[in-house]
């Protein structure tokens, strides 16, 4: 069974309310006003959106976003029809290494919009939905830095991180700690390996849209196996 | 392009019915799916739930249940479910549960309806089983040899051609040297010539095809007319050339020959002659060499010679199938070959032993009698003797004859019958009156052993000798069986002993009890039970036909089966037979002994679907059998 860890859950509700009141930019104001579901909302009823970005590197201060994919979903259905996908022109040039990784080339980017041009669309697509990402330490800071650079104010808001849910189960549970104690290597919590544990098919990774879809499917599987549709979102977001 | 969800599209595109969709339609499906994950042992569709989506298994596996909770089917990756609800009233009739952790794609009803309208194959696939199987069988028929094979396939060599000024004597000499039977006559093209038959040779010289001079023309146009050997051939050939283009069908070429009553037909590629087809080429082609094999059989001087022809049988079989014969053509050709071996052995036996002391008829049972013989088949035979037969005096002769035939057949590739249903067995070497007594007993007082005999002996046909002896038995069966409901009921029960497998699942076959097999005997589980059940209906309606398809025709003339049922059986039997035949061809081509087993992993996904349908049709028909022939109560 899962071990319930008493982590301090950030008080997202009041933070978001505060930001909604303080936001100068109308786009941000709209985004924060739409807010996120209340923490006691059952996950089965929450509007969710799977989000993935491809970036030129791992450091939000030095690297840029090159593509963003998102797929709205609920616990019941992933609405592939409502998917959104943008390629954006990064401020810094691409390096060869990242090109081989995400397959977005200079030619793709030459005619792509600047992130600032799509920001309104992006924020509207995210507004009111709880974002689901695999490894929030990419999506959250990149989005925050990019928005801050363009609108003068950042965007930090609650997310469900399928990687940290996977870590709770496979890294922090009693069984996992016991395994580590007897010298077993920890389970991989990368997207690909996590999916395989739930019988999810392997996808060609590193396309923001495919990864967003893969993340949405992974969350459905995690909830089906370890939680329930009644689980309050506040207990699994971070 | 990047926006396309390639993962979804590529997966769908690998499985029927999506694999044959146009790119546009496939895009439409891929961009409209919704996705959901189901943990093992959770419900995906519940009974009577409203449904507006087609379900597609992206990964995992599901179980489909009947209304009563009985397992109906299992489906795995790339298979669909829910289509029946969409086609009927949007209510789930067959609940579905995840058997493993499964990822399901949901395709909206609007897209589903559009696919059904825009793509006939898709519609056939998702609609009722019958049209799906029917369309496949029709398709296979359409691909049949004569209609699509180009006549150029029959051209084996370049035509012999001479100039019009050549003398008839020189032309005759060239025909002889060339071992040909006709020569084409060429001339310079004239002003008014039909440009259809003008061409240039490799030296750029222009030619006009004037006509053809055949062996028989030398008789009728040269010798009979008293022409001099010095006459130029140009004066002998008639003006109008009848020829076919090389890409016309064999059938078309045959019609041209019939229409003009000619035996030689020049074949043209554009305007240049490329060969001459003779009527015998077409006949040889049409009969797919089995006729030649048969005539060869009758020319063998002894049993050893016959045994040497065994490889030709499988060669003829493979060729027939490759050229698109259907199961009836294959079955009747192989039965004819089998009968020919038997007849020739009897002729040779009589030569050796002298004329038979009393009249007899050699009778074949089972598949040979039904004209449904396959390549892997045992011998089933018996002797019906005249009632003048006296065992003391005559039986030694017939035993020796039977032994000679049986050994000979074994050497020719027809192994001895494991159940000892052979004329060498004294029980099956009896005068007509005894046979009549046997048959009457079997019908009037059936018991398990007699029923077994009935199902073997009631497919019976004369092979050689006094046919009238066997015909009397056929008449007896046709007349008596229909009048004995208890016998029919017992035969019907017997026909239910071998059940079709539930379906295919991944690389094994599902059994009714939930177990699985990794190979399936298509004869035991498919064609044989089908033949059994058709026989019961045929006996019930007094048919004396032996072939299953002929029996279905007879059954059609009665009101015994609901409209459409016999067609469904016909298509299912044809599909099962052809699957078995095709897998036997594959065995032969891989130098393996052909058998009746197929391994599900060697079955393509579309064949798998059609086999499922055929087994389903058989299963329905078996259920009806039990209901149609109830056991009458003994107290009467």
């Amino acid at each position: 069974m899962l071990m319930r860890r008493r982590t301090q859950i950030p008080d997202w509700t009041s933070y978001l309310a505060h930001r909604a009141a303080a936001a100068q930019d109308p786009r941000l104001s709209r985004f924060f006003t739409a807010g996120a579901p209340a923490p006691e909302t059952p996950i089965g009823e929450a509007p969710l959106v799977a989000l993935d970005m491809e970036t030129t590197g791992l450091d939000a201060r030095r690297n840029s976003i090159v593509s963003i994919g998102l797929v709205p979903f609920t616990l019941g259905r992933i609405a592939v029809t409502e998917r959104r996908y943008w390629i954006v022109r990064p401020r810094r040039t691409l390096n060869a290494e990242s090109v081989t990784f995400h397959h977005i080339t200079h030619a793709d980017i030459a005619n792509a919009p600047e992130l600032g041009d799509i920001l309104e669309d992006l924020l509207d697509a995210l507004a009111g939905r709880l974002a689901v990402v695999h490894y929030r330490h990419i999506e959250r800071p990149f989005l925050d830095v990019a928005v801050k650079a363009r609108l003068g104010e950042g965007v930090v808001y609650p997310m469900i991180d399928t990687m940290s849910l996977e870590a709770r189960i496979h890294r922090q549970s009693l069984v996992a700690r016991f395994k580590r104690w007897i010298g077993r290597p920890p389970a991989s919590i990368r997207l690909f390996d996590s999916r395989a544990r739930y019988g999810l098919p392997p996808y060609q990774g590193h396309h923001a849209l495919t990864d967003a879809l893969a993340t949405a499917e992974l969350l459905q599987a995690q909830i089906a196996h370890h939680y329930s549709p009644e689980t309050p979102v506040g207990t699994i977001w971070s | 392009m990047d926006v396309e969800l390639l993962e979804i599209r590529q997966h769908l595109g690998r499985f029927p019915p999506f694999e044959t969709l146009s790119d546009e339609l496939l895009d439409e499906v891929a961009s409209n799916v919704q996705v959901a994950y189901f943990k093992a042992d959770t419900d995906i569709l519940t009974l009577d739930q409203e449904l507006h989506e087609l379900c597609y298994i992206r990964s995992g596996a599901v179980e489909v249940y009947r209304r009563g909770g009985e397992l109906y089917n299992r489906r795995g990756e790339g298979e669909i479910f829910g289509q029946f609800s969409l086609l009927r009233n949007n209510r789930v009739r067959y609940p579905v549960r995840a058997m493993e952790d499964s990822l399901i794609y949901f395709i909206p009803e609007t897209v589903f309806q559009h696919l059904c309208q825009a793509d006939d194959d898709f519609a056939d696939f998702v609609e009722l089983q019958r049209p799906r199987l029917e369309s496949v069988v029709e398709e296979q028929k359409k691909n049949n040899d004569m209609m699509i094979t180009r006549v150029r396939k029959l051209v084996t060599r370049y035509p012999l051609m001479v100039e019009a000024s050549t003398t008839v004597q020189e032309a005759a000499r060239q025909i002889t040297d060339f071992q040909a039977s006709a020569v084409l006559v060429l001339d310079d093209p004239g002003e008014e010539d039909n440009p259809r038959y003008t061409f240039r040779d490799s030296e750029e010289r222009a030619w006009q095809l004037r006509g053809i001079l055949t062996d028989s023309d030398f008789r009728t146009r040269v010798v009979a007319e008293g022409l001099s050997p010095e006459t130029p051939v140009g004066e002998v050939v008639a003006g109008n050339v009848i020829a076919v283009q090389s890409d016309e069908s064999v059938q078309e070429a045959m019609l041209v020959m019939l229409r003009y009553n000619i035996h030689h037909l020049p074949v043209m590629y554009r305007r240049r002659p490329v060969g001459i087809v003779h009527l015998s080429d077409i006949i040889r082609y049409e009969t797919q060499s089995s006729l030649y094999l048969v005539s060869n059989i009758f020319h063998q001087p002894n049993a050893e010679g016959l045994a040497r022809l065994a490889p030709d049988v499988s060669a003829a079989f493979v060729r027939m199938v490759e050229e698109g014969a259907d199961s009836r053509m294959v079955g009747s050709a192989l039965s004819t070959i089998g009968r020919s071996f038997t007849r020739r052995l009897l002729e040779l036996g009589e030569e050796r032993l002298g004329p038979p002391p009393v009249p007899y008829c050699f009778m074949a049972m089972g598949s040979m009698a039904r004209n449904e013989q396959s390549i892997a088949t045992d011998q089933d035979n018996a002797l019906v003797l005249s009632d003048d037969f006296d065992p003391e005096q005559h039986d030694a002769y017939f035993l020796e004859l039977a032994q000679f035939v049986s050994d000979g057949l074994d050497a020719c590739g027809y192994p001895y019958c494991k159940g000892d249903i052979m004329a060498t067995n004294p029980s099956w070497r009896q005068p007509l009156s005894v046979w009549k007594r046997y048959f009457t007993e079997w019908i009037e007082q059936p018991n398990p052993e007699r029923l077994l005999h009935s199902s073997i002996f009631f497919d019976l046909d004369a092979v050689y000798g006094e046919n009238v002896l066997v015909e009397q038995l056929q008449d007896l069966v046709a007349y008596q069986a229909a009048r004995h409901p208890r016998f029919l009921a017992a035969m019907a029960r017997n026909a239910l002993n071998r059940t079709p497998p539930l379906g295919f699942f991944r690389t094994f076959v599902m059994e009714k009890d939930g177990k699985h097999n990794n190979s399936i005997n298509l004869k035991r589980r498919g064609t044989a039970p089908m033949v059994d059940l058709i026989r019961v209906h045929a006996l019930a309606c007094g048919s004396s036909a032996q072939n299953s398809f002929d029996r279905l025709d007879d059954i059609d003339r009665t009101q015994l089966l609901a409209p459409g049922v016999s067609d469904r059986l016909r298509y299912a039997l044809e599909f099962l037979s052809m699957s078995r035949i095709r897998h036997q061809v594959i065995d032969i081509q891989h130098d393996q002994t052909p058998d009746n087993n197929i391994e599900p992993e060697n079955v393509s996904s579309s064949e798998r679907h059609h086999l499922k349908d055929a087994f389903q049709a058989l299963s329905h028909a078996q259920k009806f059998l039990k209901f149609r022939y109830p056991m009458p109560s003994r107290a009467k």
Side-chain angles (χ1 to χ4, degrees), chain B residues 168-425:
Chain B
V168 288
Q169 184 171 27
E170 172 60 15
R173 202 185 53 75
Q174 287 201 29
I175 289 180
T176 308
D177 288 352
F178 204 66
Q179 292 185 326
S181 61
V183 60
L184 298 182
V185 178
L186 305 179
D187 199 358
D188 297 321
E191 291 286 311
E192 301 120 51
D193 279 331
N194 183 351
R196 247 180 91 194
Y197 299 124
T198 58
F199 67 100
R200 286 175 185 279
D201 65 17
S202 54
E203 278 134 38
E204 285 299 304
R205 176 153 178 212
W207 293 102
Q208 161 83 24
L209 177 61
R210 281 273 172 252
I212 181 169
L213 194 68
T214 68
D215 269 355
S216 68
D217 290 335
F218 282 99
R219 171 166 44 79
T220 56
R221 292 186 178 182
V222 179
V223 183
E225 296 289 320
L227 293 184
S228 137
E230 298 304 313
T231 313
V233 287
E235 288 177 19
V236 179
V237 295
N240 273 343
V241 181
I242 297 152
V244 287
Q245 288 295 312
S246 63
D247 60 353
E248 289 197 68
S249 68
V250 172
Q251 165 126 328
E252 185 57 36
M254 191 176 72
L255 291 176
V256 169
M257 288 177 163
L258 287 173
R259 195 178 315 134
Y260 296 101
N261 191 28
I262 50 174
H263 290 183
H264 290 85
L265 189 62
V267 177
M268 317 289 285
Y269 175 69
R270 302 209 174 122
R271 299 188 211 163
R272 177 194 299 266
V274 291
I276 300 171
V277 166
H278 188 257
L279 186 60
S280 65
D281 296 327
I282 297 205
I283 292 170
R284 185 182 307 128
Y285 178 78
E286 189 196 9
T287 54
Q288 288 151 340
S289 79
S290 53
L291 263 192
Y292 282 75
L293 177 56
V294 167
S295 78
N296 223 345
I297 288 171
F298 285 108
H299 284 106
Q300 293 306 314
N302 50 40
E304 292 71 30
L306 287 173
R308 277 195 292 273
L309 294 177
D312 294 1
V313 180
S314 28
F317 169 73
V318 169
R319 190 166 146 197
M320 240 181 298
V321 178
E322 284 190 332
E323 290 177 351
D326 64 19
S327 81
R328 278 189 89 163
M329 292 161 72
V330 175
S332 98
L334 289 178
S335 303
T336 304
I337 292 169
R339 283 161 194 267
S340 304
F341 276 118
T342 313
R343 286 190 58 167
R344 183 63 189 147
L345 283 165
L346 284 158
E347 287 170 2
L348 291 170
E350 285 189 13
E351 271 173 31
R352 218 158 87 156
L353 303 172
V358 295
Y360 73 93
C361 188
F362 195 89
M363 148 168 110
M365 271 82 60
S367 60
M368 191 192 280
R370 291 195 310 274
N371 271 328
E372 293 168 15
Q373 201 151 25
S374 82
I375 194 74
T377 195
D378 292 359
Q379 42 177 302
D380 282 318
N381 51 54
L383 273 173
V384 184
L385 307 163
S386 150
D387 280 338
D388 297 334
F389 172 72
D390 170 12
E392 300 279 310
Q393 260 186 286
H394 307 136
D395 198 41
Y397 176 92
F398 287 110
L399 172 60
E400 206 170 334
L401 184 67
Q403 196 64 58
F404 179 78
V405 173
S406 189
D407 292 348
L409 284 175
D410 182 59
C412 292
Y414 302 86
Y416 300 111
C417 173
K418 289 182 200 77
D420 206 17
I421 311 284
M422 292 183 290
T424 47
N425 181 336

Side-chain angles (χ1 to χ4, degrees), chain A residues 13-169:
Chain A
T13 315
S14 49
Y15 171 79
L16 293 174
H18 162 75
R19 289 294 308 271
Q24 298 297 306
D25 187 280
R27 289 166 283 190
L28 282 178
S29 168
R30 218 165 45 233
F31 174 77
F32 283 116
T33 307
E40 56 277 10
T41 311
I43 181 77
E45 291 169 21
L48 307 167
V49 57
L51 175 67
D52 189 76
M53 291 171 185
E54 298 299 322
T55 57
T56 57
L58 297 178
D59 182 348
R61 313 239 151 247
R62 306 179 39 172
N63 301 115
S64 307
I65 298 170
V66 287
S67 66
I68 304 170
L70 58 84
V71 183
F73 74 111
T74 63
L75 214 50
R77 288 297 159 84
I78 301 167
V80 182
T81 23
E82 293 164 43
R83 69 196 179 274
R84 300 295 302 268
Y85 179 69
W86 299 273
I87 292 181
V88 292
R89 195 165 65 239
R91 295 205 157 159
R92 290 180 186 81
T93 53
L94 298 173
N95 61 42
E97 209 177 319
S98 73
V99 170
T100 57
F101 204 56
H102 48 60
H103 299 286
I104 291 169
T105 62
H106 300 85
D108 291 328
I109 279 163
N111 300 315
E114 215 279 320
L115 181 64
D117 302 331
I118 62 130
L119 208 51
E120 185 166 7
D121 279 354
L122 175 63
L123 289 172
D124 285 349
L126 295 173
R129 293 183 166 268
L130 186 54
V132 179
V133 300
H134 194 77
Y135 195 54
R136 65 183 182 279
H137 302 299
I138 293 286
E139 274 75 12
R140 184 180 279 161
F142 268 90
L143 193 61
D144 187 39
V145 167
V147 171
K148 201 174 273 169
R150 287 166 183 84
L151 307 182
E153 312 164 68
V155 166
V156 179
Y157 71 110
M159 287 180 166
I160 292 177
D161 182 352
T162 50
M163 185 191 263
S164 70
L165 291 186
E166 209 52 16
R168 282 194 203 175
I169 298 151

Side-chain angles (χ1 to χ4, degrees), chain A residues 76-81 83 85 87 198-201 203-204 207 209-210 213 217 220-221 224-225, chain B residues 2-5 7-8 30-37 39-40 53 58-60 101 103 105-106:
Chain A
R77 288 297 159 84
I78 301 167
V80 182
T81 23
R83 69 196 179 274
Y85 179 69
I87 292 181
Y198 299 94
L200 286 166
Y203 284 170
Q204 185 80 49
H207 180 289
L209 198 54
T210 315
L213 176 65
E217 291 169 1
Q220 285 189 339
H225 282 264
Chain B
D2 283 310
V3 191
E4 272 182 357
L5 282 167
E7 286 291 346
I8 295 175
S31 55
N32 279 294
V33 301
Q34 297 212 323
V35 185
Y37 180 88
K39 192 182 158 189
E53 291 157 311
R58 171 60 176 84
S59 64
D101 294 339
L103 193 66
Y105 289 169
F106 293 90

Side-chain angles (χ1 to χ4, degrees), chain B residues 479-499:
Chain B
Y479 185 79
Q480 291 294 336
R483 280 162 187 74
H484 289 82
R486 211 167 72 82
F487 168 74
L488 290 176
M491 285 289 279
R493 293 294 172 289
N494 222 27
L496 301 175
N497 286 343
R498 296 179 284 196
T499 54

